[in-house]
Amino acid sequence: MVENAGAIAGIVSAVLDVGKCYVLFNHKSNLRNLETEVGKLKLARGKVKGMVELLETKRKRLKRLLNVVSDVDSIVPEAETLINGRANVRCFNLGARYKLRRKASRKVEDISQLLKQQEAFGDRVSRPIIHEDTRLILNKDYLAFQSRSSTLEDVLKALKEAEVDIIGVHGMGGIGKTTLVKEVVRQAKADKRFDKVIFVEVTDTPNIEKIREEIADNLDLELDDKKTETGKANKLFARLKEVKTILIILDNIWDELDLEKLGIPVGENHKGCKLLLTARDRNVLDRMGSKSFSIDVLKEDEAWNLFRKMTGEVVDMRELQSLPNDVCKECGGLPIAIVTVARALKSKRQLSQWRKALQELRSPSPTEFKGVLKEAYSKIALSYNYLQGEEHKKVFLLCSIMTYDASISNLFKFVMGLNILEGNNLKIEEARDRLDALLHELKESCLLLDCSSSERFSMHDVVRDIAITISYKDHHVLTERNDVEDEWKNVDILKKCTTISLARSDIISKHWAEGLECPELEFFYMKYSSFKFPERFFSGMAKLKVLSLNFLPSPIILPIGLQTLCLDSSEIEEVAIIGELKKLKILSLRYCYNIKQLPGEISQLIQLRFLDLSNCANLHVITADVISSLVLLEELYMRGCPVLWAVGGPNVERNNASLEELLHLSCLTALEIDIEDEKILPKGFFSKKLERYSISVGDACHCDIEFIENKRSRRIKMKLNSSICLEELQGIKNVESLCLDKLQNIKNGLQELDNDGFSQLKYLHVKGCDKLTIPLSLPLFPLPILPQLKDLKWKIARM
């Protein structure tokens, strides 16, 4: 039986108080009591139904609870009939009044009995367990504002209308569209109105393939990469039609979406499929044929309730007088403005701080936004002004010019190249911790949002707009949002420009195909580029520190002051030119499939601290002594690189690098590598002290045992066809996740393998190691020899 009865005790006691204090004075008071109790009983009915859902497997109690629900469903209309009938009883009709009073009295008694039955169940039923997709089940940001309730009810009603296929919610940025839609979803899920609910966030530059894949992932459907776009759409279309009733939410659309191209069946194609959209522009929703509803700003009392919730007890300080209320009023009822300003002032207890905030709200600095957006967005910028230190501000502004659902790993590379983090002697591991702390604080300030993965981040569109405006005004940052004619053709503006961030190369190829004269430029980012950069394109960017492109032609002259170079997923083949960048600290060549060799010129990068060659699937040759020359290298990522490592050792002449070179990197703290031939492992390879690593030995890179995703973890996979020196394996001191497949020459069980070396091991997966045994003692965890072990999977090979 489910325990923790106290979870609903508060609800039950509040309802039960009703049945304990009835005194029947006259028919009017009886009916008023009855009317009040019916309202409370309706609420109780919902709670009882929730209990029924929780106790589906408890058949005996379920039957009794269903009887309670049935009794409630029958008694409520009867009681409401009595309440509605009082208007038809004339005051001088004593007989009718008497009958009505008697019936009301009996109904009150019946209700009291039902409430007592609920109390009996409440002592044994805890709150429902929260299952998957909590963002659609729990909507902690939603407050039941009166100004929102009518819109909420309209949307819920539209979802029930058979002739309505597409419903839309529109309003200005930050008004609360997403929050309201999530509440719609929560209620729809609670009512089990749909067999499946899917929530997809869209951006101002929608990626049809990404939207389609996210919907498919929610349906456990794999879209074959080899299929055409039409083939993928048809496959998703067919799968969606198999779901009898489904609700798909596309949040924050900026332009009309082609549903056929996406593979979403609506209307006559699938009457059970409903589409719920949010947008800032109603015209977008109208073009998609939606039944639309609007959201306006909060009323004054609602805004104050939200402001109080976000600031906490500080608003009750007598010294602040009316300042909190005045600040709240200046937010104009825009939820995101209220939240961000309130969070910024939450810990501010000085009168001067609140006065300064109020002054800034009433007399904001001019921006390029117009009308109501100008007023609302300038208020949100206050939270930026309250950020502590230049680190926070620079990281925040840098986040704003990155793509939606951006990678923290990429952000880190840019931060390092721009020298944003204070302290010249920070190690990379320390810098990562510093950046993680900064991002956490920005999220606490409501300037950044959590994302689908802990390794990514996002930003609200309104906040991004504000940040980009600040960047342009204060730091001369140019993006695609700048007016082409006024900004990109203005030579004086370009000479002051410090940052350029573009999704595509259209602007550059149209106006500055021969090169840009940007003497102050430090950051150049272009995500997608088909533009053929001329050889001297970057010659007018002497101060350039960070360059991120997906294409780098050869020959080309790069600024010698570059500190971060990211050419991920580019078509680059020859990388010898990179050796000229003597100040380079960060080099990322992920997914560069055309790179076949890392030449000797790379050994000149003696300042390099971070090298990412992950998934360079054709990288077979690394010139000897290149790796050992990178004496300051702290992090090396080589997963998915089929390097032909040479057999090392003294007095051995070779052209290829050997694994022994890694042992000479005294600063190395992070390593990811696949080693298919365990015979070339140098002695002492696993004794090197690393803070983070992911190492596969033998065929373990194809091992079907997967570890928990954690970028900071220490993981080793071993699938060996021959024996490995036991002493080498025992040298692993801090491994957290260990996978052993067909490990040989282990005779005395796990004790022999351990030798006090696995004190931090949390996840152990063993496959096909017939001679490796585990002591069968209870309790299973923790084992005496593996005190931190949390998860154990043991699979013996079949003969």
Side-chain angles (χ1 to χ4, degrees):
M1 196 63 218
V2 180
E3 299 298 331
N4 191 16
I8 61 169
I11 297 174
V12 173
S13 62
V15 178
L16 284 178
D17 285 344
V18 174
K20 298 177 181 177
C21 58
Y22 288 124
V23 180
L24 303 178
F25 296 103
N26 52 52
H27 85 283
K28 291 184 178 180
S29 63
N30 287 340
L31 289 171
R32 279 197 299 269
N33 288 341
L34 180 59
E35 186 174 15
T36 300
E37 298 316 299
V38 166
K40 294 181 179 180
L41 187 59
K42 288 179 180 179
L43 296 175
R45 175 177 53 186
K47 296 176 178 62
V48 172
K49 287 183 177 180
M51 297 175 191
V52 171
E53 181 179 352
L54 178 65
L55 296 174
E56 281 182 322
T57 57
K58 316 298 182 182
R59 296 300 180 185
K60 293 182 180 180
R61 296 192 184 279
L62 174 61
K63 185 176 181 180
R64 293 170 59 193
L65 279 171
L66 287 172
N67 289 336
V68 173
V69 174
S70 177
D71 291 341
V72 171
D73 285 340
S74 63
I75 201 171
V76 167
E78 294 174 3
E80 288 179 334
T81 300
L82 289 176
I83 295 170
N84 296 332
R86 67 180 174 184
N88 300 321
V89 179
R90 297 180 181 275
C91 61
F92 49 80
N93 192 335
L94 299 179
R97 288 174 59 192
Y98 174 76
K99 291 180 180 179
L100 187 60
R101 184 171 66 247
R102 290 290 302 274
K103 289 181 179 179
S105 176
R106 286 196 293 269
K107 291 301 176 188
V108 169
E109 292 178 1
D110 292 342
I111 289 174
S112 297
Q113 290 301 317
L114 287 174
L115 292 173
K116 288 178 180 178
Q117 291 183 52
Q118 185 201 3
E119 180 184 34
F121 284 109
D123 289 338
R124 296 183 293 270
V125 182
S126 65
R127 290 175 183 158
I129 299 172
I130 300 171
H131 293 287
E132 59 189 356
D133 204 2
T134 55
R135 67 176 177 177
L136 300 184
I137 298 175
L138 297 178
N139 191 9
K140 63 181 181 179
D141 295 328
Y142 183 77
L143 296 177
F145 295 126
Q146 184 179 357
S147 61
R148 300 290 194 267
S149 60
S150 60
T151 305
L152 176 65
E153 292 300 321
D154 288 341
V155 174
L156 290 170
K157 181 180 178 181
L159 288 175
K160 298 178 182 178
E161 297 175 4
E163 66 277 10
V164 177
D165 305 308
I166 304 176
I167 303 103
V169 177
H170 69 91
M172 64 177 294
I175 203 68
K177 301 183 294 294
T178 301
T179 303
L180 182 132
V181 165
K182 286 183 178 180
E183 179 62 16
V184 171
V185 173
R186 189 194 67 80
Q187 294 199 25
K189 288 178 73 69
D191 295 341
K192 297 188 179 301
R193 193 170 300 164
F194 296 94
D195 297 327
K196 187 71 176 177
V197 177
I198 298 175
F199 189 100
V200 180
E201 296 176 357
V202 188
T203 67
D204 55 347
T205 54
N207 185 320
I208 294 295
E209 184 176 359
K210 183 177 179 182
I211 296 171
R212 189 192 298 121
E213 287 179 353
E214 189 165 346
I215 295 173
D217 287 344
N218 276 274
L219 298 167
D220 295 325
L221 175 67
E222 185 173 350
L223 299 177
D224 191 347
D225 291 336
K226 297 181 181 179
K227 283 184 175 291
T228 63
E229 290 299 301
T230 302
K232 294 178 183 178
N234 290 340
K235 187 173 183 179
L236 179 60
F237 188 96
R239 177 67 180 88
L240 286 169
K241 291 194 69 173
E242 294 175 4
V243 185
K244 186 176 181 180
T245 57
I246 185 168
L247 174 61
I248 301 175
I249 302 94
L250 299 180
D251 184 43
N252 191 26
I253 66 171
W254 288 74
D255 204 352
E256 182 179 358
L257 295 175
D258 189 333
L259 299 182
E260 183 177 349
K261 188 175 181 180
L262 275 169
I264 299 177
V266 293
E268 295 300 322
N269 291 321
H270 188 2
K271 281 295 185 181
C273 181
K274 300 279 188 178
L275 197 60
L276 181 55
L277 312 171
T278 72
R280 296 187 185 185
D281 188 354
R282 178 164 185 158
N283 293 325
V284 174
L285 300 177
D286 291 343
R287 289 197 296 269
M288 293 192 67
S290 77
K291 183 174 184 177
S292 302
F293 306 95
S294 64
I295 301 181
D296 203 353
V297 296
L298 297 175
K299 295 180 180 178
E300 186 173 328
D301 59 331
E302 296 172 337
W304 174 245
N305 289 337
L306 179 59
F307 190 80
R308 277 188 65 95
K309 179 183 178 182
M310 294 298 156
T311 51
E313 61 182 13
V314 67
V315 298
D316 296 321
M317 290 180 59
R318 185 176 302 176
E319 296 87 340
L320 297 180
Q321 302 172 15
S322 65
L323 279 172
N325 197 271
D326 295 337
V327 169
C328 180
K329 288 181 180 179
E330 287 297 322
C331 292
L334 182 63
I336 194 168
I338 294 169
V339 170
T340 51
V341 171
R343 291 276 176 85
L345 293 169
K346 184 174 183 179
S347 60
K348 311 301 180 186
R349 297 179 174 272
Q350 297 299 319
L351 192 62
S352 59
Q353 293 173 315
W354 283 82
R355 283 176 176 168
K356 183 174 181 291
L358 183 60
Q359 179 61 32
E360 291 181 20
L361 286 168
R362 287 177 173 172
S363 303
S365 301
T367 70
E368 295 182 349
F369 299 115
K370 298 179 180 179
V372 66
L373 292 183
K374 176 179 179 179
E375 180 181 355
Y377 285 15
S378 62
K379 292 172 174 41
I380 302 174
L382 175 63
S383 58
Y384 166 80
N385 295 332
Y386 270 106
L387 287 176
Q388 299 177 355
E390 288 301 308
E391 282 185 338
H392 292 78
K393 292 183 177 181
K394 289 180 180 179
V395 169
F396 167 66
L397 295 180
L398 185 57
C399 289
S400 72
I401 61 174
M402 295 182 66
T403 58
Y404 172 82
D405 194 22
S407 163
I408 294 177
S409 176
N410 287 340
L411 175 66
F412 175 75
K413 297 169 189 175
F414 300 157
V415 166
M416 290 296 291
L418 293 170
N419 298 317
I420 289 178
L421 301 179
E422 297 174 358
N424 295 326
N425 297 320
L426 281 180
K427 295 180 180 179
I428 283 192
E429 192 71 20
E430 295 170 338
R432 285 188 183 280
D433 291 338
R434 178 81 66 84
L435 181 59
D436 283 348
L438 288 172
L439 293 177
H440 177 75
E441 290 167 15
L442 289 173
K443 290 176 182 178
E444 288 293 308
S445 300
C446 295
L447 292 173
L448 287 184
L449 303 173
D450 284 318
C451 215
S452 56
S453 165
S454 61
E455 300 301 321
R456 311 187 76 82
F457 68 89
S458 187
M459 183 180 288
H460 193 285
D461 289 331
V462 173
V463 177
R464 188 186 302 277
D465 289 342
I466 295 166
I468 289 176
T469 300
I470 294 171
S471 296
Y472 169 73
K473 288 182 59 62
D474 297 346
H475 303 283
H476 311 291
V477 174
L478 291 180
T479 68
E480 287 178 319
R481 302 194 186 197
N482 296 98
D483 183 83
V484 173
E485 298 300 325
D486 291 344
E487 309 294 341
W488 288 99
K489 293 177 66 176
N490 191 316
V491 175
D492 292 333
I493 289 178
L494 289 176
K495 285 183 178 180
K496 297 177 182 178
C497 181
T498 63
T499 297
I500 290 178
S501 177
L502 301 171
R504 292 175 175 82
S505 60
D506 302 355
I507 292 175
I508 298 296
S509 60
K510 180 179 180 180
H511 295 282
W512 301 100
E514 296 303 316
L516 283 165
E517 193 67 30
C518 298
E520 300 299 321
L521 195 71
E522 295 185 341
F523 181 98
F524 189 98
Y525 171 85
M526 191 179 293
K527 186 174 183 182
Y528 304 108
S529 174
S530 57
F531 176 57
K532 304 300 182 182
F533 291 93
E535 182 178 359
R536 301 188 63 83
F537 181 86
F538 295 103
S539 60
M541 308 176 190
K543 292 186 178 180
L544 194 64
K545 295 180 179 178
V546 176
L547 177 61
S548 180
L549 300 170
N550 73 330
F551 181 81
L552 186 63
S554 182
I556 192 169
I557 300 174
L558 295 173
I560 60 173
L562 273 180
Q563 297 193 44
T564 289
L565 178 60
C566 297
L567 301 174
D568 298 344
S569 302
S570 73
E571 299 176 3
I572 188 171
E573 298 180 20
E574 301 296 332
V575 296
I577 188 175
I578 297 175
E580 299 175 6
L581 307 176
K582 304 296 194 300
K583 295 183 179 181
L584 202 63
K585 295 190 297 186
I586 308 290
L587 176 58
S588 185
L589 300 170
R590 294 165 54 86
Y591 294 96
C592 292
Y593 298 123
N594 294 334
I595 298 178
K596 299 178 180 179
Q597 179 178 4
L598 208 61
E601 287 83 351
I602 299 300
S603 63
Q604 301 175 62
L605 303 179
I606 57 175
Q607 298 296 320
L608 198 67
R609 300 171 61 189
F610 176 103
L611 176 59
D612 195 343
L613 301 169
S614 301
N615 296 295
C616 290
N618 292 302
L619 177 58
H620 294 286
V621 177
I622 298 179
T623 303
D625 299 324
V626 165
I627 292 180
S628 57
S629 298
L630 307 178
V631 293
L632 296 182
L633 197 65
E634 297 180 48
E635 298 191 1
L636 175 61
Y637 301 94
M638 298 184 64
R639 294 294 304 274
C641 295
V643 176
L644 301 174
W645 298 101
V647 177
N651 305 319
V652 176
E653 294 186 5
R654 62 186 187 279
N655 294 320
N656 276 14
S658 72
L659 290 172
E660 279 195 345
E661 293 190 38
L662 297 176
L663 303 180
H664 297 292
L665 299 178
S666 60
C667 297
L668 194 69
T669 60
L671 175 65
E672 292 188 1
I673 191 170
D674 294 334
I675 305 169
E676 294 198 6
D677 184 0
E678 71 273 11
K679 297 177 182 179
I680 65 173
L681 280 171
K683 185 176 180 59
F685 184 80
F686 288 108
S687 63
K688 185 168 183 60
K689 295 181 179 179
L690 298 172
E691 296 294 331
R692 293 183 294 113
Y693 50 83
S694 181
I695 302 173
S696 295
V697 180
D699 296 327
C701 52
H702 308 297
C703 181
D704 59 355
I705 301 176
E706 295 296 330
F707 293 128
I708 294 176
E709 286 298 324
N710 184 348
K711 277 295 198 179
R712 296 294 185 100
S713 68
R714 297 181 287 272
R715 304 174 290 184
I716 294 179
K717 293 183 179 182
M718 291 185 176
K719 185 174 183 180
L720 309 177
N721 295 319
S722 61
S723 62
I724 185 174
C725 178
L726 181 60
E727 289 78 11
E728 285 294 320
L729 196 55
Q730 291 172 338
I732 307 171
K733 298 297 183 184
N734 60 354
V735 64
E736 292 180 335
S737 300
L738 180 60
C739 172
L740 302 176
D741 193 350
K742 295 183 180 179
L743 189 64
Q744 300 180 10
N745 287 356
I746 301 293
K747 300 178 180 179
N748 299 321
L750 204 59
Q751 296 94 325
E752 179 183 0
L753 183 65
D754 175 62
N755 194 29
D756 299 325
F758 296 129
S759 61
Q760 299 182 40
L761 189 66
K762 298 178 181 178
Y763 308 100
L764 175 61
H765 297 186
V766 178
K767 180 181 178 182
C769 301
D770 298 351
K771 296 182 180 180
L772 183 59
T773 60
I774 186 170
L776 296 177
S777 59
L778 294 176
L780 184 58
F781 298 122
L783 292 170
I785 58 174
L786 301 173
Q788 301 296 322
L789 195 65
K790 294 181 178 180
D791 182 68
L792 174 65
K793 288 184 172 64
W794 203 279
K795 186 176 180 180
I796 303 299
R798 295 180 179 178
M799 300 302 292

